[in-house]
Amino acid sequence: MPLSREKIAATAIRLADAHGLDGLSLRKIAKELGVGPMRLYDYVGNKSELLDLMVDVVYARIAEVGQRDGWRATVLAIAHATREAALDHEWFSDLLGGRPHLGPHALAVGEATAAGLSAAPGVRDIDDLQRAVGALNAFIIGAVRREVTERRTTRSTGTDEAAFQASLGPYLTRMLKTGRYPTVARLVIDGAHLNAEETFKHNLTTVLDGITSQSRT
Amino acid sequence: MPLSREKIAATAIRLADAHGLDGLSLRKIAKELGVGPMRLYDYVGNKSELLDLMVDVVYARIAEVGQRDGWRATVLAIAHATREAALDHEWFSDLLGGRPHLGPHALAVGEATAAGLSAAPGVRDIDDLQRAVGALNAFIIGAVRREVTERRTTRSTGTDEAAFQASLGPYLTRMLKTGRYPTVARLVIDGAHLNAEETFKHNLTTVLDGITSQSRT
DNA sequence: GTATCTGTGGATACACCGTACGCTAGTGAG
DNA sequence: CTCACTAGCGTACGGTGTATCCACAGATAC
């Protein structure tokens, strides 16, 4: 059985997609590949390195969005591709931002993002660019993390109102009845369940508008 | 030895502060408290519940910022308190956003944030509020996660330029020499190391400005 | 006083994890 | 043929979360 980093990573991704990071172990990967667990160490130094490799494989997909017409379209495309990738590989959102991502594809995505933002109005010098990259990446990391968490919660509590009421609902209902959280109550009770993709897009635009309207502080 | 959830959580927080979440185990907590590990299960259902409890203890501290004059000052204070808490308890940034945080203190912080934002210009109805809360929380989660990651990286690679050059630097230098990442290279080589607190504040302002300048879409 | 029951808490065990290390078999060179 | 090296597997170690059982002490009933 010939092995390679790519093959190990692909198997790991498949297992993580199916079972999450908690369900991913080197033994399981090895078993899936029909080899002994220690074989994997010929190709990856340790589990952490394997996780980094998996992240970079996902970044390879994000990097495929390519150049768009104009900085804004480019940055938007990258952000949306990141979100799509995280929804397809939910474990990615658990890892995103948790370590420096320096694989070749992560660097390529970082380059495309930074190059795009460097052309944005409001970004006048290297400091501006650093702040803008930071703001955008912070938003993306946080937004996909929250969205994946919400999907997982919905999945584990049921996808309809009745199932929610049966599990998390009683506790939350009891807390909201205290009257201590009126705005949260309004959000939970009255809040339409906004379309996630449109929310992401809207808030991404909010952040970009904030970046482009920045005056020198 | 009388136990309580509070005592267990406080011990867990102390251990996690010292050793990170990877260095936290129920056995170690139990040992620190001088009891058998299974004793903890009289007070917390499982490890996951303990982590949620720890998160809510940190939120109790964030909730202490109290009301400020005006929505903006309130929201800024909460965001800064969240960052401070995450810097004091770095494991908090690993958990933030990864599960719904519904403890009483987390709800209190959520309430203060939402109530503040509901008074912001640009937030006209419940949908606007939901999007604004989402954008702000996404930013905060992402920003503290990135900042803590950067601190950890700096700590593990050394705090000066020579140590960085000795560890991560060779790989990154080699990658940047390829010429494939010119903007990233500029950021790494020319980029001043911006003050983290000021960057957070600046970018937080950017997001809030984006929120308040939103026209109906 | 003795016997029995109940509750508390520790000990043991299980299934699993990442990774160190040793051993064996096969292959190639001399 | 013998020896050395390499590839790969098996075993082991120290650790994890959590299930389960047992012993002991105290309380209660007779």
Side-chain angles (χ1 to χ4, degrees):
Chain A
M1 162 53 74
L3 280 190
S4 65
R5 283 168 69 89
E6 289 72 34
K7 186 172 290 191
I8 292 166
T11 302
I13 286 169
R14 202 161 55 240
L15 286 170
D17 286 348
H19 305 293
L21 291 178
D22 284 347
L24 179 70
S25 74
L26 293 178
R27 284 175 217 235
K28 285 178 187 164
I29 298 164
K31 183 175 179 185
E32 185 84 9
L33 291 168
V35 299
M38 298 309 295
R39 269 306 293 291
L40 305 189
Y41 289 91
D42 290 336
Y43 300 91
V44 292
N46 52 42
K47 183 169 180 178
S48 182
E49 187 181 321
L50 173 60
L51 296 177
D52 289 343
L53 182 56
M54 289 159 67
V55 166
D56 205 62
V57 169
V58 174
Y59 267 114
R61 170 177 157 187
I62 298 167
E64 282 169 6
V65 302
Q67 196 74 359
R68 299 293 164 99
D69 275 346
W71 72 270
R72 199 171 176 115
T74 301
V75 168
L76 284 171
I78 291 167
H80 280 285
T82 304
R83 175 179 169 268
E84 288 296 328
L87 295 183
D88 284 344
H89 309 287
E90 291 186 346
W91 52 267
F92 182 69
S93 74
D94 295 322
L95 300 176
L96 199 52
R99 286 180 45 86
H101 296 312
L102 301 176
H105 298 108
L107 285 176
V109 170
E111 172 64 27
T113 307
L117 280 177
S118 69
V123 177
R124 272 158 288 237
D125 57 29
I126 198 75
D127 285 3
D128 280 351
L129 179 58
Q130 203 145 6
R131 282 188 286 256
V133 168
L136 178 66
N137 283 335
F139 169 75
I140 293 169
I141 289 165
V144 300
R145 186 160 169 84
R146 290 182 84 242
E147 187 175 350
V148 168
T149 295
E150 193 168 325
R151 281 179 25 138
R152 285 177 177 152
T153 305
T154 299
R155 240 178 5 240
S156 71
T157 62
T159 54
D160 56 23
E161 195 62 23
F164 174 77
Q165 294 296 334
S167 61
L168 259 194
Y171 167 77
L172 196 56
T173 303
R174 199 162 63 247
M175 292 301 278
L176 298 187
K177 271 198 169 100
T178 64
R180 277 187 239 132
Y181 317 108
T183 317
V184 170
R186 244 170 78 228
L187 282 170
V188 170
I189 294 161
D190 298 341
H193 215 73
L194 299 179
N195 174 276
E197 182 174 358
E198 282 166 15
T199 300
F200 182 80
K201 184 171 177 181
H202 181 279
N203 284 348
L204 181 58
T205 301
T206 295
V207 172
L208 288 182
D209 288 349
I211 287 168
T212 54
S213 68
Q214 277 303 298
S215 55
R216 177 69 59 107
T217 58
Chain B
M1 157 57 74
L3 280 189
S4 66
R5 283 167 69 87
E6 290 71 35
K7 187 171 291 192
I8 293 167
T11 302
I13 287 169
R14 201 160 56 240
L15 286 172
D17 286 348
H19 305 294
L21 290 178
D22 283 347
L24 179 71
S25 73
L26 294 179
R27 283 176 219 236
K28 285 177 187 166
I29 297 164
K31 183 174 176 183
E32 184 84 9
L33 291 168
V35 300
M38 300 308 297
R39 271 302 297 290
L40 305 189
Y41 289 90
D42 291 336
Y43 300 91
V44 293
N46 51 44
K47 181 166 180 177
S48 182
E49 187 181 321
L50 173 60
L51 296 177
D52 289 342
L53 182 57
M54 289 160 65
V55 166
D56 206 60
V57 170
V58 173
Y59 267 115
R61 169 174 158 189
I62 297 166
E64 283 169 7
V65 303
Q67 197 75 358
R68 299 293 165 100
D69 275 346
W71 73 271
R72 198 169 179 118
T74 300
V75 170
L76 284 171
I78 292 167
H80 281 288
T82 304
R83 177 180 167 267
E84 288 296 328
L87 294 183
D88 284 345
H89 307 287
E90 291 188 345
W91 51 267
F92 182 69
S93 75
D94 294 321
L95 301 176
L96 200 52
R99 286 181 43 87
H101 296 312
L102 301 176
H105 298 109
L107 284 176
V109 169
E111 173 63 28
T113 307
L117 279 178
S118 68
V123 178
R124 272 160 287 237
D125 56 30
I126 198 77
D127 284 3
D128 280 351
L129 179 58
Q130 204 145 6
R131 282 188 286 254
V133 168
L136 179 65
N137 281 337
F139 169 73
I140 292 170
I141 289 165
V144 301
R145 186 162 172 82
R146 290 182 85 240
E147 188 175 348
V148 168
T149 294
E150 193 168 325
R151 282 179 25 140
R152 285 177 176 151
T153 305
T154 300
R155 239 177 6 239
S156 71
T157 63
T159 54
D160 57 24
E161 194 63 23
F164 174 76
Q165 292 297 333
S167 60
L168 258 192
Y171 167 77
L172 195 56
T173 304
R174 199 164 62 246
M175 292 301 278
L176 298 187
K177 271 200 169 96
T178 64
R180 276 187 240 133
Y181 318 106
T183 317
V184 169
R186 245 171 74 224
L187 282 170
V188 170
I189 294 162
D190 298 342
H193 215 72
L194 300 179
N195 175 274
E197 183 174 357
E198 281 166 16
T199 301
F200 181 80
K201 185 172 178 180
H202 180 279
N203 285 347
L204 181 57
T205 300
T206 296
V207 173
L208 288 180
D209 288 349
I211 288 167
T212 54
S213 68
Q214 277 304 298
S215 57
R216 177 67 62 105
T217 58

